[in-house]
Structures are given as structure tokens and as C-alpha cells.
Amino acid sequence: IEPGVIVEAMGNYQIIAQGNIIALGTPADSIKFGSGLPDQTTLWKGIRLESTLVQSQFRNCRIELGQYGINSINSPVEITFCHFNKNQKGIQSYGIGATEPATVLIDHNLIEFSQHNGILVSQNSNTDITYNDICHNGLTTQYYGAIQLSNQSAGGSNSPLIAYNHI
């Protein structure tokens, strides 16, 4: 996806990538993913990455008004210099059941005004969260953290690298 492109969902739709997405904007000309509906409180489903083999890249993108901004289902992805704004959950890294979970790199992003978590890391994920600004998340009446670690089983583990963030 080229710099300056605007991808708008005109309803409750989702982008599902069973291959990869390469969205490389520039600081002066980002790529925008969001809702194209006039009611800017209506969420679209967001971006779901499902390939366990090929890496997706998002750089200098603006991702808004999604149920999940980016939802990596054991899919390798680099998310850098992006702005996540007004999503239900900004980013999810999901590796449950994977014997060798895919690497998810979340680096130098602004993640703000999420209704729930800025970042949700599920059990058994292989996630690095570094140099991000994660603020003004958990805006509903229930408690949600800027970064939430989630284990679904008693023997599960969840050990992401979380370093140098401003939360």
C-alpha cells in the first residue's frame, strides 16, 4: 500500500490478510485505515493478520475506529511509527496454541484513546513492545490497562519484552 492511500471501511467490515500486508507510509505522507462512515463513533472490525509464514509491515500508518486496529493471529508483523486512535483495542498479539509463536514487533508508535486496551498480549505470544507512547486508553466504565497480558490456562506463560515505553 503506497504512501498517501486512504483505506475506508463503509460498515462493519474487516480486512483479513492470509498473506501479508506491506503498508509503508512516510512521515509526511502516511497511510490511513479507518471508517468512512459519517458517524465517527461507529467502529469497523479492523485488520486481522492470519499468515504464520510471511511478515506484514506497517510503518507511518494511521489506524482509527477499529474493533481491533491490528489483530495478529500468530502472524509475524512489524508495526513502527504508526498512530492508533479511537480503536476498541489498538493492537492484539495472539499466539495461543502455537509451538513457535510468530514475532510481533511494536515499536515507536502512538497508541491513544482506545476504549479498552492499547495493546493486548495473549498467552504464548512472542511480542516486543518498545519505545511507544501509550496513553488515554481504557475509556469505558470497566478497567482496562494500557498493556494487558492475558493467560487463558493455568500452565500458560506470557513474557513479552516491554521496554522504554511512555505509559
Side-chain angles (χ1 to χ4, degrees):
I1 302 173
E2 300 292 324
V5 169
I6 298 172
V7 179
E8 292 182 329
M10 300 304 289
N12 193 23
Y13 299 106
Q14 181 176 44
I15 296 170
I16 299 175
Q18 293 179 340
N20 64 340
I21 295 175
I22 305 296
L24 304 176
T26 67
D29 204 8
S30 65
I31 298 167
K32 181 184 177 209
F33 296 88
S35 173
L37 298 174
D39 178 3
Q40 290 293 291
T41 61
T42 302
L43 300 177
W44 66 298
K45 289 187 178 182
I47 301 167
R48 181 180 170 107
L49 306 173
E50 295 184 349
S51 173
T52 59
L53 302 175
V54 292
Q55 183 180 56
S56 292
Q57 291 180 292
F58 294 85
R59 184 180 321 131
N60 291 305
C61 294
R62 185 173 178 94
I63 301 166
E64 300 180 320
L65 296 169
Q67 288 176 358
Y68 288 92
I70 295 177
N71 186 3
S72 170
I73 307 299
N74 192 33
S75 186
V77 61
E78 287 186 7
I79 305 166
T80 56
F81 300 101
C82 292
H83 182 190
F84 290 81
N85 187 39
K86 298 181 182 177
N87 295 288
Q88 186 174 58
K89 291 179 176 70
I91 300 169
Q92 176 174 257
S93 176
Y94 185 95
I96 295 175
T99 55
E100 293 184 31
T103 300
V104 174
L105 173 65
I106 303 168
D107 183 67
H108 284 93
N109 299 287
L110 172 58
I111 304 164
E112 63 181 346
F113 298 108
S114 301
Q115 293 172 13
H116 295 174
N117 313 101
I119 300 172
L120 174 58
V121 181
S122 295
Q123 173 181 319
N124 197 40
S125 298
N126 181 12
T127 307
D128 291 352
I129 303 168
T130 54
Y131 297 100
N132 298 285
D133 191 356
I134 308 166
C135 58
H136 308 293
N137 296 287
L139 299 178
T140 63
T141 56
Q142 294 179 298
Y143 176 77
Y144 292 94
I147 300 173
Q148 178 179 335
L149 307 182
S150 176
N151 273 349
Q152 275 69 35
S153 64
S157 67
N158 200 339
S159 301
L161 169 67
I162 302 173
Y164 311 110
N165 297 285
H166 179 255
I167 301 172

